């Protein structure tokens, strides 16, 4: 299997040249655009690697599935989905247009920035620091990695340049979606995006979801089966924003991307996959990462449809 992963990486490395690093968060522009790596964690405990799998990257929007699970644990389904919808979008992940024209009271889904900011505002904590500590501890648990923490430089970079997210959040405060202090909610959001991980860490989250909410390495249940199924469903319909349909056709695995170049994939009852490739396509998804997942899906017969 490691041989297969090495060859899939080498077959697809050329795609990284067609993508571009995210520059709107200046710190992300410092990544190496040739990087391409993959890690697989199977539900029976096997681990496989290929390419630049040891590269650390910030998980960015992949954090949105972590905060969705935590918000659901804290509030239940009814409250969470009274604040955020589950409908796919045909617009960019940081678009503001739907908030004004379509659904001022409810961002379309928790995988776009507006929906993720609304979701994180629901997580319990006596203040922002406490709330983020809970997110970090939950991330450490579901990756099985107690040393996970944030990349301070990326966090500062996001915070100083995050005016688009600020505008989304203040708009949602004006329509009552956000009830808390906006700057505090945003600070937690910037931190969750700046959590640093490797392919293996995100593959482990994928393996937990593939295993319907139970950590395969310890047998501990962290979310209910119905929550795991719901999160995987939202990953299929919204996980790659306005490229989710194309990705479902090309790859057919519940997945979540981030502008750090990571993609987390959960193959039900089989495995979690983590890929890294910081060169992005025009929708903000890893150019090489998608191609690696497409080839693996074909080679290993992973398409859920
Ligand atoms: N931190 C990024 C942002 O808020 C996350 C977006 C992404 O990964 N698509 O713009």
């Amino acid at each position: 299997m490691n041989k297969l992963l090495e060859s899939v990486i080498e077959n697809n490395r050329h795609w990284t040249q067609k993508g571009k690093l995210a520059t709107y968060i200046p710190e992300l522009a410092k990544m190496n655009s040739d990087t391409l790596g993959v890690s697989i964690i199977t539900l029976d405990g096997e681990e496989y690697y290929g390419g630049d799998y040891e590269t650390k990257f910030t998980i960015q929007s992949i954090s949105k599935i972590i905060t969705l699970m935590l918000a659901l644990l804290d509030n239940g389904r009814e409250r969470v989905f009274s604040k955020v919808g589950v409908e796919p979008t045909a617009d960019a992940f940081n678009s503001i247009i739907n908030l004004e024209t379509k659904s001022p009271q409810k961002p379309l889904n928790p995988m776009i920035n507006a929906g993720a900011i609304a979701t994180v505002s629901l997580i319990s904590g006596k203040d922002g620091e406490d709330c983020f500590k809970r997110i970090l501890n939950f991330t450490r648990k579901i990756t099985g990695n107690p040393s996970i923490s944030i990349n301070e430089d990326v966090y500062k970079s996001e915070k100083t340049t995050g005016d688009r997210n600020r505008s989304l959040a203040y708009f949602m405060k004006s329509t009552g979606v956000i009830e808390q202090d906006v700057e505090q909610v945003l600070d937690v959001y910037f931190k969750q995006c700046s959590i640093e991980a490797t392919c293996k860490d995100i593959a482990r989250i994928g393996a937990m979801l593939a295993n319907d909410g139970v950590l395969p390495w310890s047998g501990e249940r962290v979310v209910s089966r119905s929550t795991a199924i719901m999160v995987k469903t939202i990953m299929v319909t919204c996980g790659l924003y306005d490229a989710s349909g194309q990705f479902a056709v090309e790859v057919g695995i519940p997945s979540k991307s981030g502008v750090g170049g990571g993609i987390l994939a959960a193959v039900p009852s089989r495995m979690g996959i983590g890929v890294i490739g910081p060169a992005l396509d025009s929708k903000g998804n890893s150019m090489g990462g998608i191609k690696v997942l497409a080839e693996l899906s074909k080679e290993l017969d992973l398409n859920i449809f």
Side-chain angles (χ1 to χ4, degrees), residues 13 56 58 102 111 139 155 157 162 186 195 197 200 265 295:
R13 203 181 281 276
K56 283 190 171 178
T58 52
K102 255 192 212 153
M111 303 289 114
T139 308
Y155 161 61
S157 186
L186 281 167
I195 291 174
K200 175 176 170 174
E295 191 171 331

Side-chain angles (χ1 to χ4, degrees), residues 120-277:
V120 76
S121 78
L122 298 172
I123 293 179
S124 311
K126 56 179 190 304
D127 52 25
E129 212 172 299
D130 190 41
C131 175
F132 180 67
K133 215 186 208 168
R134 295 189 61 240
I135 296 170
L136 191 60
N137 284 338
F138 187 61
T139 308
R140 288 174 173 167
K141 173 168 266 207
I142 61 179
T143 54
N145 181 353
S147 60
I148 292 259
S149 48
I150 68 169
N151 178 318
E152 287 288 341
D153 293 335
V154 173
Y155 161 61
K156 283 185 199 131
S157 186
E158 290 217 38
K159 197 169 164 117
T160 42
T161 59
D163 292 327
R164 172 69 73 106
N165 288 322
R166 247 171 224 112
S167 62
L168 293 169
Y170 278 103
F171 189 91
M172 289 190 289
K173 174 94 179 190
S174 80
T175 59
V177 177
I178 291 183
E179 295 167 34
Q180 297 78 354
D181 176 71
V182 175
E183 288 302 329
Q184 178 177 310
V185 172
L186 281 167
D187 190 58
V188 178
Y189 173 76
F190 294 137
K191 282 184 179 150
Q192 75 174 70
C193 290
S194 307
I195 291 174
E196 197 166 52
T198 61
C199 289
K200 175 176 170 174
D201 297 317
I202 60 169
R204 280 194 162 213
I205 303 174
M208 177 276 285
L209 287 168
N211 202 27
D212 286 346
V214 174
L215 302 176
W217 55 92
S218 68
E220 185 186 350
R221 176 168 291 287
V222 287
V223 292
S224 68
R225 181 166 184 270
S226 64
T227 293
I229 290 173
M230 188 171 48
V231 170
K232 281 179 280 190
T233 310
I234 296 174
M235 285 160 71
V236 168
T237 53
C238 311
L240 275 81
Y241 329 107
D242 49 332
S244 300
Q246 177 66 33
F247 184 81
V249 169
E250 208 179 323
V251 179
I253 307 173
S255 300
K256 181 74 203 85
S257 63
V259 290
I263 305 179
L264 175 160
V267 187
S269 309
R270 291 186 61 184
M271 63 182 73
I273 309 175
V275 295
I276 174 66

Side-chain angles (χ1 to χ4, degrees), residues 24-25 28 58-64 93-94 111-113 117 154 158 162 164-165 168 189-190 192-194 241 256-262 280 283-285:
Y24 77 102
I25 300 171
L28 294 184
T58 52
I59 62 174
Q60 297 296 334
S61 285
I62 296 170
S63 67
K64 293 170 181 172
F93 63 80
N94 58 0
M111 303 289 114
I112 53 172
N113 290 10
I117 294 167
V154 173
E158 290 217 38
R164 172 69 73 106
N165 288 322
L168 293 169
Y189 173 76
F190 294 137
Q192 75 174 70
C193 290
S194 307
Y241 329 107
K256 181 74 203 85
S257 63
V259 290
L280 308 177
K283 309 259 163 133
N285 298 314

Side-chain angles (χ1 to χ4, degrees), residues 18-125:
K18 298 212 162 60
K20 285 201 177 80
L21 295 171
T23 49
Y24 77 102
I25 300 171
E27 203 53 36
L28 294 184
K30 296 185 182 162
M31 292 190 76
N32 184 346
S33 62
D34 305 335
T35 299
L36 197 60
V38 61
S39 165
I40 287 183
I41 311 280
T42 67
L43 296 201
D44 45 22
E46 303 294 334
E47 301 186 2
Y48 304 102
Y49 304 98
D52 308 312
Y53 64 90
E54 283 169 312
T55 302
K56 283 190 171 178
F57 55 92
T58 52
I59 62 174
Q60 297 296 334
S61 285
I62 296 170
S63 67
K64 293 170 181 172
I65 58 174
I66 301 172
T67 45
L68 175 60
M69 287 186 276
L70 203 50
L72 285 164
L73 282 169
D74 284 353
N75 301 273
R77 233 179 238 214
E78 209 174 308
R79 171 138 172 88
V80 171
F81 295 117
S82 72
K83 288 283 187 189
V84 56
V86 290
E87 295 307 331
T89 176
D91 298 294
F93 63 80
N94 58 0
S95 172
I96 198 162
I97 190 165
N98 292 313
L99 273 182
E100 193 178 18
T101 59
K102 255 192 212 153
S103 57
Q105 260 72 46
K106 215 183 207 189
L108 282 179
N109 70 66
M111 303 289 114
I112 53 172
N113 290 10
I117 294 167
T119 303
V120 76
S121 78
L122 298 172
I123 293 179
S124 311

